[in-house]
Amino acid sequence: MKDLFIKRFLYYKELADKTFEQLNDEEVLWQYNPESNSIATIVKHISGNMLSRWTNFLTEDGEKDWRNRDSEFENDLHSKSEMLEVWEKGWKVFIDSLNQITDETWQKEITIRGEKHSVLDAVLRQLAHYPYHIGQIVYVAKMQKDDKWKTLSIARNKSEEFNIEILKKHKPQEIQQNSSPVCYAKSNEIRDDYKI
């Protein structure tokens, strides 16, 4: 089960990493308005949460005395490289901690702000929390990049082609030799330009 969780978390990390690749210093520091968070600020918060929750997670409360959560929302990073250092530091602590989990650890009781949780529940909380913020990162980046944005998912109006490629990869026996993306690889009556 641990490997499945790590796989899922790393998938979301990769979405953010691919977003960062498209951005420069100015774009990671940009705020829509004073009440909005820049991408760098969201990264600070995610990393701060990871460092607090997952440092000595089996023996210490997940809300550390040394954490200053409010400061995570100050837009005080100065560059993309500084932001990436903060990002990687949090992920290292988090993934290293997940790797410590054994089959027996999942039901162990830990605390976050004094509230009791199983390790499994604490991990599930983060599986909701981190992708939530990564979605914000992607959204803010897309707003800035506009038509220069390189999609991280299925491109607009390309769902059928994507489905065919997935079928080719995972179930090639189900794809007819003469298939069409328009009909999900099921029709023999297609134009030549749709043949695979």
Side-chain angles (χ1 to χ4, degrees), residues 2 98-107:
K2 168 179 67 181
L98 288 181
N99 276 312
Q100 294 175 30
I101 297 173
T102 65
D103 289 343
E104 295 75 39
T105 313
W106 288 111
Q107 295 310 315

Side-chain angles (χ1 to χ4, degrees), residues 123-165:
V123 171
L124 288 171
R125 279 177 56 146
Q126 302 318 312
L127 191 55
H129 185 202
Y130 301 152
Y132 164 79
H133 287 304
I134 289 168
Q136 292 173 327
I137 288 169
V138 172
Y139 187 75
V140 171
K142 285 177 73 169
M143 284 195 312
Q144 292 184 82
K145 298 308 286 186
D146 195 21
D147 61 348
K148 294 180 180 73
W149 173 253
K150 295 180 191 111
T151 187
L152 306 176
S153 183
I154 303 168
R156 283 184 189 211
N157 301 314
K158 299 291 182 185
S159 295
E160 293 177 17
E161 290 90 339
F162 178 82
N163 289 340
I164 291 292
E165 290 305 313

Side-chain angles (χ1 to χ4, degrees), residues 90-127:
W91 277 98
K92 178 168 180 11
V93 168
F94 179 48
I95 297 299
D96 287 351
S97 296
L98 288 181
N99 276 312
Q100 294 175 30
I101 297 173
T102 65
D103 289 343
E104 295 75 39
T105 313
W106 288 111
Q107 295 310 315
K108 182 173 172 51
E109 194 173 83
I110 62 172
T111 60
I112 300 172
R113 294 190 183 97
E115 181 183 351
K116 294 178 181 178
H117 300 273
S118 67
V119 169
L120 177 60
D121 188 28
V123 171
L124 288 171
R125 279 177 56 146
Q126 302 318 312
L127 191 55

